Amino acid sequence: MTMPDDQPETPYLELLARGAPAEAYERPVLRARAEGASAARLAALERAKLLALRVRGELEGRRRREAELSALFETAHDLAGLRDLDAVLQAIVQRARSLLGTEVAYLTLNDPQAGDTYMRVTDGSVSARFQQLRLGMGEGLGGLVAQTARPYVTESYFDDERFQHTRTIDSGVKDEGLAAILGVPLMLGSGVIGVLFAADRRPRVFEREQVALLGSFAAHAAVAIDTANLLAETRSALAELEAANEIIRDRSEVIERASEVHDRLTELVLRGGGVHDVAAAVAEVLSGTVEFTEAHTAPAAAVDRSRADGHAVRHGEDWIAAVSAGGELLGALVLRGHPRLDPVDQRTLERAAMVTSLLLLARRSADEAEQRVRGELLDDLLDAPDREPRLLRERA
């Protein structure tokens, strides 16, 4: 049935309505020619066909842009709830590959210390060598993007002389079987932190819109990386702060314990306590067993080291602090069964040894004074019978 000459657009409206493929738009013209339509009718159908194809292209472009915007929106939504950097980067690479219709997509990050860029995330890759590639700045397509902060695209990588081909890079690309490659920089401010790629295993021309789309994904990826780095730095700072607070708490407890020891030792000295009282007080604070031993019964080597260093020393499972005064060894304090001792507790044992030496010297001085007073009294009783008896009794 021949279409009226004044309605050449009718079949094309139907084709547009049902989303027919581009090759279907040629059929009305072929059918009309086969039916012997007039030249005017054929010309009208040709014009209607071109117009319909133009409308179809616009509709496809709109649908493609809507899909791209939707994907970008989903990516931004993922970034808002960022928890795992690897998962977000993987999603970006997967969406870039899907929207651009490529066989492979991948992302590299710059390594400032090594001065190169390395493979971080891939999607669609099958080559282990390719997934472990590192590109020096300026090497290959990716190295050039990382160095210049500009997007680069090639229809056939191995035939493109613009890039610095190296054996390592070319081997990896060949192993993956890539031909067409598009790379865009990941920018933070004015600096490049990496490159986002889309690639095919056959020659292909990437359109300007596709370059812009991949650039948008690269911007999202850069934000994701920066956000994740900031979160990692924050977590690290919080962990360091918590560790510092823990140290402060521990030091505060140690200082309080040292203060307690100081007060108890001072009290013992003031009320005339003995060396065994000092040992008992230190044992209670250090949660161990502390004994005072005479010089001849203490381990000689450990005592000599303690006297030479002026500090308590470890001896097997015990700690030994020499008790000496004026170069004379008076004995030692031994903390038993306590192989680990922090510096403050070690200082507590050393202070106790010092107090013990003072007590021993004080006791010796008192004994000497007592003997001297006894001798003087005896002399007065024998040599001065005329002394006042009351005074002698008081002295006795």
Side-chain angles (χ1 to χ4, degrees):
M1 177 178 178
T2 305
M3 293 293 178
D5 288 350
D6 58 345
Q7 294 181 344
E9 70 279 0
T10 301
Y12 295 109
L13 290 176
E14 294 175 355
L15 292 173
L16 287 172
R18 59 186 175 87
E23 57 269 18
Y25 287 74
E26 192 66 33
R27 292 170 187 166
V29 178
L30 295 176
R31 188 182 303 115
R33 186 177 290 116
E35 293 174 351
S38 64
R41 171 64 178 171
L42 292 176
L45 284 172
E46 285 287 348
R47 287 193 301 269
K49 180 190 71 172
L50 294 177
L51 183 59
L53 287 173
R54 185 184 305 170
V55 171
R56 180 182 179 277
E58 289 290 335
L59 291 175
E60 285 188 346
R62 288 178 182 273
R63 282 194 293 267
R64 185 173 61 252
R65 284 191 290 273
E66 288 175 1
E68 294 169 356
L69 289 174
S70 177
L72 290 174
F73 176 79
E74 291 175 3
T75 303
H77 182 270
D78 289 344
L79 293 179
L82 177 65
R83 291 295 180 272
D84 181 14
L85 175 61
D86 286 339
V88 173
L89 295 183
Q90 189 67 51
I92 289 173
V93 170
Q94 288 173 347
R95 288 174 186 159
R97 177 190 175 197
S98 175
L99 281 178
L100 270 66
T102 58
E103 296 174 282
V104 183
Y106 50 102
L107 182 148
T108 63
L109 289 181
N110 289 5
D111 185 343
Q113 294 183 345
D116 61 6
T117 182
Y118 64 96
M119 197 71 70
R120 181 70 166 77
V121 183
T122 66
D123 188 62
S125 171
V126 296
S127 167
R129 179 188 298 181
F130 180 77
Q131 294 166 13
Q132 297 171 5
L133 271 183
R134 299 187 74 97
L135 294 76
M137 291 300 176
E139 295 179 354
L141 185 147
L144 192 58
V145 174
Q147 184 182 58
T148 63
R150 294 173 54 192
Y152 276 89
V153 60
T154 180
E155 186 176 342
S156 180
Y157 176 75
F158 289 102
D159 298 326
D160 201 326
E161 299 299 328
R162 293 177 298 163
F163 309 115
Q164 181 182 341
H165 292 268
T166 68
R167 178 179 299 178
T168 301
I169 298 174
D170 284 2
S171 296
V173 174
K174 186 176 182 179
D175 204 34
E176 189 64 54
L178 300 182
I181 304 175
L182 165 61
V184 296
L186 297 170
M187 304 289 296
L188 274 183
S190 58
V192 180
I193 63 171
V195 181
L196 178 62
F197 300 85
D200 260 338
R201 296 187 174 91
R202 64 185 185 280
R204 167 181 176 173
V205 176
F206 287 98
E207 300 175 0
R208 184 179 305 172
E209 293 79 7
Q210 293 174 320
V211 177
L213 175 61
L214 195 64
S216 298
F217 273 97
H220 282 300
V223 170
I225 294 168
D226 190 41
T227 303
N229 288 338
L230 290 175
L231 288 175
E233 291 173 3
T234 301
R235 285 193 292 267
S236 177
L238 289 175
E240 291 177 1
L241 182 60
E242 181 62 28
N245 287 335
E246 187 67 27
I247 292 174
I248 291 173
R249 284 193 294 267
D250 291 343
R251 293 298 95 187
S252 296
E253 293 175 1
V254 168
I255 291 172
E256 291 177 4
R257 191 165 68 248
S259 177
E260 178 186 353
V261 172
H262 175 78
D263 293 342
R264 295 186 65 173
L265 293 179
T266 301
E267 181 184 357
L268 284 174
V269 172
L270 292 177
R271 63 181 174 83
V275 294
H276 297 293
D277 296 323
V278 173
V282 176
E284 183 178 348
V285 173
L286 299 183
S287 301
T289 300
V290 179
E291 299 176 358
F292 172 76
T293 62
E294 300 292 340
H296 63 278
T297 61
V303 172
D304 290 342
R305 283 193 293 121
S306 178
R307 289 181 65 190
D309 295 343
H311 298 292
V313 297
R314 183 174 173 180
H315 178 68
E317 297 292 309
D318 305 332
W319 284 82
I320 295 178
V323 177
S324 60
E328 180 184 359
L329 180 63
L330 304 176
L333 282 184
V334 181
L335 173 62
R336 300 194 181 281
H338 216 307
R340 294 183 179 180
L341 203 62
D342 66 43
V344 174
D345 286 342
Q346 181 180 347
R347 181 59 182 158
T348 296
L349 184 61
E350 294 164 359
R351 182 179 296 175
M354 184 182 300
V355 171
T356 300
S357 67
L358 292 176
L359 288 177
L360 290 174
L361 288 177
R363 178 59 57 84
R364 177 186 291 180
S365 298
D367 290 343
E368 292 175 353
E370 185 178 353
Q371 292 297 331
R372 185 171 58 255
V373 169
R374 286 178 178 177
E376 291 173 354
L377 176 61
L378 183 60
D379 290 340
D380 287 345
L381 288 173
L382 296 175
D383 299 339
D386 56 341
R387 291 289 182 98
E388 175 64 38
R390 180 180 60 81
L391 294 176
L392 291 174
R393 283 196 299 272
E394 290 178 355
R395 290 174 61 189

